[in-house]
Amino acid sequence: MKPPSRVSRLYEVMDLMLDSVGDPLALKSLAASASYSSFHFDRIFRELTGFSACEYQRKRRLRRAAHLLRHEPDVAIVRIAQDCGFPSNAAFAKAFRQQFSMSAKAWREGGWRAYMDQQVGRESDVSFFVAEPDKLEVLLAPYCPPTPGTIAARIAVRMLPAVTLRYQRFFGQSGAALSIACNAVIASCQGAGRPWYGVFDEDPGFTGESEYCYDFGCADDAGLDPAMGMRILPAGSYACLDFHDEWPRFRFMYEDWLDKQSLWRLDSTRPHIQMVERDAEGRWRGWLALPVKKR
């Protein structure tokens, strides 16, 4: 067995940063946990993600705040700022405006929708990352809202078990580029008939193309490279949308189901998950899963 690579250890550090998004960032401790000096840690972190560790954590804190502002309307903005690691409401207000070009109050009142429509781009928030990359008519299709009620009628809340995932992490890729990258992972792994999992730790509709962080892989077994990243997809309640030979979006689920829910709301502490596999005829099928909790 090969030992975990330094890249996979860096993935673990990044996951730790996400889990402790409200805590102070101890760069020296993070570097040591990945077996790097502080200098080399920050350099390699920047090469991998395009951002310094501090900037990466700041952006993730802001996206977590954007989650909470949309999905936790009863929580005060100042509390969200504190929970996301900002030392003062003024510091949070300045950082939020720089990231999203509006105030936190305007975001909560519906500005998030304009941000998604105008700044994120049509290639984001899609579920077809393993689709054949030559299907450009699918990859480049603009967002079209579903007929009201059609997606909601297909969603069921399920208890999903935990999955130990071996994965490759992709940064700053979307659309056709990410489809090609995911197909390369499938081609490089034995056992093409197994189910594959894609993971967003944040609402993909809030994440600009250059800031995407997407994990793609399959359940851990003896046939996979131990130098790949490893993480646990947590068990819990998920709103699931089954699909077959189509590529629905998480946004469909938000707008046609979650935004109209009186019983369920998003649980931002767990990731968005998609599972895909080939059927007997070679077509893709699977499900999208939004993490939810009762109101």
Side-chain angles (χ1 to χ4, degrees):
M1 291 285 289
K2 292 189 294 183
S5 68
R6 283 193 168 185
V7 170
S8 67
R9 286 199 293 268
L10 191 60
Y11 290 168
E12 293 173 3
V13 171
M14 296 171 72
D15 293 339
L16 177 63
M17 293 166 66
L18 181 64
D19 292 340
S20 56
V21 71
D23 300 332
L25 180 64
L27 185 60
K28 186 175 181 180
S29 297
L30 293 173
S33 65
S35 302
Y36 288 108
S37 68
S38 296
F39 172 79
H40 285 97
F41 174 78
D42 204 54
R43 177 180 61 81
I44 294 171
F45 197 102
R46 189 186 295 273
E47 289 176 356
L48 186 64
T49 67
F51 304 99
S52 69
C54 291
E55 179 68 3
Y56 182 84
Q57 183 71 332
R58 186 185 74 89
K59 287 179 175 294
R60 285 206 134 172
R61 286 171 173 167
L62 288 166
R63 289 195 292 269
R64 173 64 63 80
H67 263 293
L68 298 174
L69 287 165
R70 177 181 177 184
H71 299 291
E72 303 282 357
D74 298 329
V75 179
I77 292 177
V78 64
R79 173 63 185 274
I80 289 174
Q82 293 170 352
D83 290 347
C84 292
F86 289 90
S88 68
N89 199 41
F92 171 69
K94 180 179 179 180
F96 194 92
R97 186 177 289 276
Q98 288 176 338
Q99 176 74 10
F100 296 108
S101 301
M102 69 184 76
S103 69
K105 182 175 183 293
W107 178 275
R108 168 169 273 178
E109 292 175 348
W112 56 267
R113 189 182 301 276
Y115 178 85
M116 288 171 63
D117 288 341
Q118 297 173 14
Q119 298 191 40
V120 175
R122 65 185 181 185
E123 287 191 345
S124 64
D125 186 19
V126 290
S127 65
F128 50 75
F129 294 143
V130 295
E132 290 80 356
D134 59 348
K135 290 187 175 180
L136 292 179
E137 73 280 5
V138 177
L139 290 168
L140 300 179
Y143 177 74
C144 294
T147 302
T150 56
I151 295 297
R154 296 166 53 189
I155 291 176
V157 176
R158 303 174 188 153
M159 285 294 298
L160 297 184
V163 175
T164 301
L165 187 72
R166 285 284 184 183
Y167 69 90
Q168 186 167 339
R169 180 162 288 173
F170 300 99
F171 298 96
Q173 298 181 40
S174 63
L178 193 49
S179 177
I180 293 170
C182 291
N183 272 275
V185 173
I186 294 174
S188 68
C189 294
Q190 296 179 355
R194 61 166 58 116
W196 299 89
Y197 294 86
V199 187
F200 280 113
D201 284 302
E202 302 157 328
D203 182 341
F206 293 171
T207 309
E209 292 179 27
S210 65
E211 300 173 10
Y212 258 54
C213 178
Y214 180 74
D215 294 346
F216 181 76
C218 53
D220 184 36
D221 63 32
L224 294 177
D225 184 353
M228 295 175 72
M230 186 175 75
R231 63 180 294 177
I232 305 295
L233 302 184
S237 298
Y238 290 84
C240 298
L241 174 65
D242 295 324
F243 61 86
H244 194 182
D245 204 26
E246 61 173 325
W247 300 106
R249 305 183 183 219
F250 280 114
R251 186 170 176 181
F252 292 170
M253 303 174 71
Y254 276 104
E255 296 185 357
D256 199 49
W257 184 80
L258 187 64
D259 289 348
K260 302 172 183 178
Q261 275 293 303
S262 59
L263 179 60
W264 300 98
R265 60 182 173 181
L266 187 75
D267 183 351
S268 61
T269 65
R270 290 182 283 130
H272 297 57
I273 304 171
Q274 66 180 102
M275 186 281 292
V276 290
E277 61 185 354
R278 296 276 193 183
D279 66 12
E281 287 75 39
R283 298 177 299 175
W284 288 110
R285 65 184 178 190
W287 42 255
L288 300 182
L290 282 179
V292 293
K293 59 185 177 182
K294 288 187 176 180
R295 292 187 176 275

